[in-house]
Amino acid sequence: MLYMQKPKAQTLDAICDAARAKSFNYQEIGASRKAFPMPDDFPGHYRHSHYRTELGGGEKVFLDACHAFSQWRMFDLDWLHLCLPHSISCEVGANMTIMGDVFGLWWPNANRIVYVLDENQEGVQLFGFAYGTLQGNMICGEERFLLEWHPQNDRVYYDIYSFSRPSQWLSRCAVYYLRRLQRRFVRDSTQSMIKAINKN
C-alpha cells in the first residue's frame, strides 16, 4: 500500500505487525553470506552492488561502529524511516520495515534478518547482518551490512553488499530511479555512520 504522506505512529505499528505474517519473496535466502567480503557464487539473475568505505583505524573505531550498528544508525536518514516493532535488537528472524520517499509517496518495504555476523575470518574481525525482502517489497533480494576490522593494518571498513531486482510492475517501471536511491542510500548511510563514530 502506498501512502501520500508518512504514516502516523499507529499506522506504522500496524505495518510492522503485518510483516510477521509475510514470507520471503525470493529463493536465495542467505546467499550473501557465501564468502567474505564478496560472495563467490552469487545468483546471476540479480543486479549486484558492492560499496566499501574506510571509517578509520583502531579497535575503538570498530567498537564505536558496532555500537552504531546496534542503534541502527546506518538508517538514520531524513528521507528514510526504519520501523522496528518494540525496538528490536538485531537477531535472526527479526522483522524490519523500511519506508522511503519514492516520487513523493511512502511505500513500506518489509524485510527479515536472515543472519548475523560476529566472528573472526582469516584474521579479520566481522560484525554485521543481512536482511531479505518479504512479500510486498518493491524489490526482491538481500542486503548485507558489514563492519570489518583488519588488525594487520588496523583499518576499519563499512561494507554494503546487495543483490536485488524489481518485484512489481511499478518498481520495474522505476528501476533506474530505484538504483539512484540505492546509491543515495549508500552515500547517506556512510555519512550517518561517520557522524555516529565521531560523536564518541
Side-chain angles (χ1 to χ4, degrees):
M1 180 181 296
L2 294 173
Y3 296 86
M4 299 298 293
Q5 59 185 4
K6 184 178 176 180
K8 296 182 179 180
Q10 185 175 1
T11 303
L12 288 173
D13 289 342
I15 291 172
C16 291
D17 289 339
R20 291 183 296 181
K22 296 182 178 182
S23 58
F24 291 104
N25 63 356
Y26 70 109
Q27 296 182 345
E28 300 84 355
I29 300 169
S32 62
R33 191 177 184 174
K34 287 187 176 180
F36 160 74
M38 277 286 286
D40 56 2
D41 186 23
F42 44 67
H45 52 291
Y46 290 93
R47 180 177 182 271
H48 302 267
S49 300
H50 185 215
Y51 303 92
R52 194 163 178 260
T53 304
E54 182 178 330
L55 296 179
E59 183 180 16
K60 184 179 185 304
V61 170
F62 179 71
L63 294 177
D64 287 346
C66 291
H67 180 67
F69 259 41
S70 68
Q71 296 182 322
W72 308 98
R73 295 298 297 275
M74 71 286 278
F75 295 103
D76 189 10
L77 312 178
D78 293 338
W79 55 277
L80 202 69
H81 179 77
L82 179 63
C83 180
L84 300 171
H86 312 300
S87 299
I88 64 168
S89 59
C90 185
E91 57 187 24
V92 176
N95 297 318
M96 49 190 294
T97 300
I98 300 174
M99 297 193 69
D101 185 351
V102 180
F103 297 128
L105 302 174
W106 290 84
W107 189 334
N109 291 282
N111 307 279
R112 183 169 296 138
I113 296 177
V114 295
Y115 63 83
V116 295
L117 290 169
D118 187 4
E119 59 191 47
N120 187 289
Q121 287 190 25
E122 301 179 0
V124 179
Q125 190 64 39
L126 306 178
F127 184 83
F129 69 95
Y131 64 70
T133 55
L134 303 180
Q135 294 172 335
N137 201 305
M138 295 178 67
I139 61 174
C140 57
E142 204 163 282
E143 189 160 29
R144 181 187 68 193
F145 297 84
L146 189 64
L147 295 171
E148 311 168 16
W149 178 29
H150 296 249
Q152 65 271 25
N153 61 9
D154 213 23
R155 297 291 89 190
V156 178
Y157 299 93
Y158 176 37
D159 185 283
I160 303 177
Y161 165 74
S162 68
F163 62 86
S164 64
R165 59 178 175 172
S167 64
Q168 304 184 21
W169 68 268
L170 181 58
S171 53
R172 284 192 288 270
C173 292
V175 61
Y176 294 108
Y177 180 73
L178 291 177
R179 290 176 182 175
R180 285 179 57 192
L181 282 182
Q182 285 181 321
R183 291 192 293 270
R184 180 186 179 187
F185 171 76
V186 170
R187 182 184 67 247
D188 294 352
S189 177
T190 299
Q191 289 303 312
S192 291
M193 287 295 297
I194 292 174
K195 289 179 181 178
I197 292 172
N198 289 337
K199 284 184 178 179
N200 297 323

